[in-house]
Amino acid sequence: MKWGLTGYLPCHISASFNFVFFSLYFPEVNECINANAKHCGECIQAGAKCGWCKDPNFLKQGETVSTHCDELQSLMKRGCTISMIENPRGEQVTLKNKKVTDRSKGPEKLKPEDITQIQPQKLSLTLRSGEPQSFKLTFKRAEDYPIDLYYLMDLSYSMKDDLENVKNLGTSLMLEMQKITSDFRIGFGSFVEKTVMPYISTTPAKLLNPCTGDQNCTSPFSYKNVLKLTSDGKKFNTLVGQQHISGNLDSPEGGFDAIMQVAVCGEQIGWRNVTRLLVFSTDAGFHFAGDGKLGGIVLPNDGKCHLENNVYTMSHYYDYPSIAHLVQKLSDNNIQTIFAVTEEFQPVYQELKNLIPKSAVGTLSANSSNVINLIIDAYNSLSSEVILENSKLPEGVTISYISHCKNGVVSEGENGRKCSNISIGDQVTFSISVTSKGCPKQGKPETIKIKPLGFTEEVEITLNFICDCECQKYSVKNSQDCHFGNGTNECGACRCNEGRVGKQCECSSNDVATEDMDRTCRKDNSTDICSNNGDCVCGTCECKKRDNPEERYSGQYCECDNFNCDRSGNKLCGGHGRCECKVCVCDPMWTGSACDCSLDNSTCMASNKQICNGRGICECGTCKCNDAKFQGPTCETCPTCPGVCAENKECVQCQVFGTGEKKDTCKRHCSYFKLIKVKDRDKLPQPHDSSYPVMHCKERDANDCWFYYTYAVNNNTEKEVHVVETLDCPPSPDIIPIVAGVVAGIVLIGLALLLIWKLLMIIHDRREFAKFEKEKMNAKWDTQENPIYKSPINQFQNPHYGHKAAVL
């Protein structure tokens, strides 16, 4: 069985506007109508949404047999009851669902065949075209799972020192692997090159000893299975210790021949249905398909086992295998490959590893001394990742994966096939969907398998396909209802025999396009055949189909349609009726040519229970107000009436400035109008600029600031408020000049008072002095006569001096 890595990649549309535009002008394609199904089986294969109406009276005049096939909602809308619609659905049945092994519940040792790592194990899916069937697959990495390891070594002369270190590999590797599993087996094989020129020297001496000088080498060979897989590490050491180096001429080796034989010779190698590891050890490159021509070998590798006495005997007959061939065989046999190569060839094998799923590359030291650590690290890397693969899918079948990994990581597409960083005991799940498009040619059940790469366990899925309807089982061949037995009465319609056409198979295909028949397809002699909207078949018009599945032609001459009626609000018949033969048939409580006039007065009822508030009339569910100053859906709004400004003041204030009594309940109480902010008062709407009344308002807030706005109800009955976004507040006083003025005033007043006082004192003194002068002038005595005058001269006598008086 061939295996492939196929899957879905998600497609996303980023330009949502373009998508909406496309949807409006290019309606979604109706796959049911486009299928032009002639019978029920064709219909259900067109898509998962398609159904077939098996009511024999379903078709209207002018409709073709394929009109029986449409989407379910469309069929029911056109009068087909759900019981008369054939719409089979797919299903799934789990046939084997053994739970994954939980070793934590018991330490008992289990056989490999008793360990389950994948669930479920067997399913049966019944697929309907276009309908995905989904199920969950659980994977749990089992503890103490058995391992088979085969060591394949290059024994060309350059690997001489490496062989010495590998001779003790058996017991050492056994000890290390026992830390991972208690059930470990190891085997050994070696390879050199094809035993033909120019890969080796074919001279008799070189065939015996290909090495130069005194080196003792064994004869060249392509591949030897030295030791079958065994749990005896000592036996490994013994047999490997008996091996000898050989030699060849060119640098690349024939390792691909050896890998192919190890993969396909399972019985000789001793592979079990457990984890299979192949360690490929070399210090050189490799030959691949096509290189055999150098030795005259042109037959492609057949991918079969050719071991005789554990030696590959057909290396001189078959070419090297290709990389793709190796990938297929390694995958088919669940073998995980570890390339242990020297640093020089690391890039080459890294590229090879990218082509081989579930493979790893490790850097081998010059003498292979690190081979044990390399194997352990590579095994841990391989076993920590699970990758699902499926076998080849039948034609028309697709499969998609969604992984649910550790730590909630979810991936889709190709990444949905795998989970990484899985430790022993971890459990992951995969959501898998299988979808079929159409029906396979044979229509027989198919089997596919899904398995984790490198594991022997797999899920087997049987695919059954729904290709026919249930009603086809009750069909009547050569039915009299189909024009005297010219067809099979099947699912409410005639399925005509070969060479017959028409709804009831009433015509021969040779007589379809006659002039007499065309005449019966004209409404009158001046019109086109079937009104140019259909084809004349058997003297009867079969109307054309439209790209839009909701649009149809009908009538005896295809003269009617359901899409050329009057529209309202860009909706056919206003969305309140249906279009029949280009005329709207309105729903109850609607009237008008486009069914756009409502007869329901409830939308005109005002809050006072009066129609249009008593100020208008109700026409088509809308009030027409008698007084122009009243507006709104019920003529209750009067934007220019007194009190409008005060009524809306608090809401305008809280919405624009975040102040006022309603600032805490603004969103709840003040969302009834549309708010528009403007820069200044000049930008406010003016009454003469609008087709509806506009009220200008000027209100003052608690801070004595004025704000300006307009209130109006526009032509769409929306309340509009235009507000100047800045407050008009009086300028605040400048404190410093005031204080300076007061102080300066006090000082000036003080100075003025002092000056006045001084002036008064000067005037007073001058008056007193003038008075004094006047009185002095008027005095009648002089100095001698002044009674109060006292002479300033004092006279006294010194008694001791001449008895004369002294004058001082």
Side-chain angles (χ1 to χ4, degrees), residues 101 103 110-117 142 144-146 457:
T101 303
R103 302 298 288 271
L110 297 176
K111 297 179 180 179
E113 57 269 21
D114 295 331
I115 298 175
T116 303
Q117 297 184 107
D144 196 28
Y145 196 70
E457 296 178 66

Side-chain angles (χ1 to χ4, degrees), residues 5 80 130 148 193 257 420 574 579 632 665 713 749 804:
L5 297 175
C80 189
D148 284 352
E193 186 55 276
D257 273 343
S420 303
C579 182
T665 60
V713 179
I749 291 172
K804 294 183 179 179

